Amino acid sequence: MPAKPITPRILSAAAPAAACLLLASCGSQQRSTPAATTSSTTAAASTAPAEAQSAATGDIPDNQTFLSFADRSGGYTIRYPEGWARQGSGADVTFHNRANVIRVVIAPGPPPTPAGAAAAVLALKRSDPTINVQAPRRQTLGSTPVVKVSYTRLSAPDPVTGKRLPITVDRYEYARAGKVATLDLTTPKGVDNVDAYRMISKSFRWR
């Protein structure tokens, strides 16, 4: 499907009008924190979205408003779509809207390499044999060097139908001063979030 131009409106997450609608928990029974808040959430990290409900999802709209999230403890800023729910701590933060997921994980480590990125995804394959990984590569997003690796997998079974849906994950790894940020952008097959996700990946900044 051809990529659509995205012309976002960027708002500060601190603005009063930025309070977002809380959505259902993404693989967790804990309450989501409103996405418009700039302080770190104290809720436990989410590890799996409710992907099997993706029949109700769609593309990120062309006129989508984006907010800026600043995580002091994680030491970064990133943009995300207004209205998406937020979960997690400073080291592991997730924004989600049904099966569309943005997840940022901060951990100590050396600068990422294509080989290391591929090995990390292949390690996931041991517990999820539906994963198929593409060859990772180095990129420069603006002036920021990153390692990108994409992979596909099947969603968790729908609790009613048992159906599993194809999911695509674009993973970006950023490094600075002994820390690595892993950004996962997840979308169900057939949903066109290419331009919006590209902008989000370019918006990541270390603080």
Side-chain angles (χ1 to χ4, degrees), residues 1-206:
M1 180 181 298
K4 305 177 300 182
I6 295 290
T7 308
R9 293 176 291 157
I10 307 302
L11 302 179
S12 169
C20 69
L21 176 66
L22 292 181
L23 301 181
S25 175
C26 179
S28 171
Q29 297 301 315
Q30 301 184 39
R31 178 177 297 174
S32 297
T33 301
T37 305
T38 55
S39 61
S40 298
T41 179
T42 57
S46 170
T47 59
E51 300 147 332
Q53 300 178 12
S54 65
T57 69
D59 303 349
I60 295 175
D62 294 347
N63 62 349
Q64 173 70 51
T65 297
F66 287 78
L67 304 178
S68 180
F69 172 74
D71 192 300
R72 292 186 179 88
S73 60
Y76 68 90
T77 61
I78 195 169
R79 292 175 184 171
Y80 67 95
E82 182 182 31
W84 287 30
R86 177 167 66 88
Q87 289 179 280
S89 67
D92 191 341
V93 175
T94 299
F95 304 91
H96 62 91
N97 180 17
R98 299 182 178 90
N100 297 312
V101 181
I102 302 167
R103 185 183 182 195
V104 184
V105 177
I106 308 295
T113 64
V121 176
L122 290 174
L124 297 176
K125 189 177 177 68
R126 289 197 288 268
S127 58
D128 184 356
T130 70
I131 287 178
N132 288 299
V133 60
Q134 301 177 12
R137 61 186 184 276
R138 296 184 185 274
Q139 288 186 344
T140 300
L141 300 180
S143 59
T144 304
V146 301
V147 172
K148 178 184 178 182
V149 58
S150 298
Y151 63 93
T152 60
R153 61 182 176 85
L154 294 180
S155 71
D158 183 279
V160 176
T161 66
K163 183 177 180 180
R164 305 186 69 181
L165 302 171
I167 298 292
T168 298
V169 181
D170 290 327
R171 171 170 289 188
Y172 297 84
E173 295 184 349
Y174 313 74
R176 190 183 74 170
K179 292 197 301 184
V180 176
T182 300
L183 169 64
D184 285 343
L185 302 174
T186 301
T187 190
K189 183 178 180 181
V191 173
D192 181 10
N193 290 334
V194 173
D195 284 346
Y197 276 3
R198 181 183 296 118
M199 181 184 60
I200 291 168
S201 67
K202 289 181 178 179
S203 75
F204 180 91
R205 296 286 186 278
W206 291 107

